[in-house]
Amino acid sequence: MRTFGLEKPLGALSYFPWRAKACLFHQQAVCTLARMNFMATQPPAPPRTPRVTRPRPDDGDSVVLERRPQKTQPPQMYRVLMLNDDFTPMEFVIVVLQEFFSKDRETATQIMLKIHLDGKGVCGVYSRDVAATKVDQVLDAAHSAGHPLQCISEPVE
């Protein structure tokens, strides 16, 4: 009678139900180990080579289709615009342009003056996700500083 590593045969397991679980676990472990050992000892199969078929002679009536390369469109770009208001300090706008749009002091000042004089100004042109992130960063900074600065993104035509 098989004992599966226990001191009593399987017939005695009806008296000790906890041993049935231990025996089942031991049996599964032995099977798993045997499968792993089998997989590790098998040599790898040689790679299969595809069958080569020779083209049939052409009788002149066949049509040849040419493969055209697919042209992918570049991603739609979006302009990030800041809108003018009468309450946000000019210095705050300059700091935001330097911080979030990596502009130097002179360029940030020029963009700030354009926003102030024209009512809006372009801070940068980005892909949709980056533009949305920039808008969120500017709005969060303005809100945390207590300024009503507005920033939007719009597609470039």
Side-chain angles (χ1 to χ4, degrees):
M1 182 175 270
R2 297 178 63 182
T3 61
F4 292 106
L6 298 174
E7 62 274 13
K8 296 201 176 195
L10 280 180
L13 292 178
S14 61
Y15 298 109
F16 304 103
W18 57 271
R19 286 193 177 176
K21 290 181 183 176
C23 180
L24 181 62
F25 175 76
H26 180 73
Q27 183 181 10
Q28 289 173 347
V30 169
C31 290
T32 303
L33 185 63
R35 255 187 292 145
M36 289 172 51
N37 196 9
F38 172 75
M39 288 188 288
T41 58
Q42 291 296 322
R48 296 183 182 178
T49 56
R51 288 181 47 183
V52 177
T53 58
R54 299 197 181 269
R56 290 181 274 144
D58 187 18
D59 59 356
D61 291 337
S62 61
V63 177
V64 177
L65 295 177
E66 292 183 17
R67 176 172 282 173
R68 294 183 187 155
Q70 292 181 346
K71 295 181 183 178
T72 57
Q73 296 292 329
Q76 174 72 40
M77 301 303 280
Y78 287 78
R79 287 189 295 206
V80 177
L81 302 169
M82 273 195 213
L83 307 178
N84 187 32
D85 63 67
D86 294 334
F87 304 103
T88 304
M90 293 179 178
E91 188 61 33
F92 179 77
V93 174
I94 291 172
V95 169
V96 165
L97 289 167
Q98 288 176 324
E99 182 74 23
F100 299 118
F101 297 97
S102 302
K103 305 293 183 186
D104 59 16
R105 180 98 177 150
E106 184 177 331
T107 307
T109 304
Q110 290 174 355
I111 294 172
M112 180 273 303
L113 288 174
K114 178 135 178 85
I115 294 168
H116 183 69
L117 297 174
D118 296 344
K120 64 181 177 179
V122 178
C123 302
V125 178
Y126 305 98
S127 65
R128 182 178 66 187
D129 295 337
V130 175
T133 302
K134 298 278 185 188
V135 168
D136 289 342
Q137 288 174 336
V138 170
L139 293 177
D140 289 343
H143 180 71
S144 65
H147 300 301
L149 180 64
Q150 292 298 307
C151 186
I152 60 171
S153 66
E154 64 181 23
V156 175
E157 290 127 14

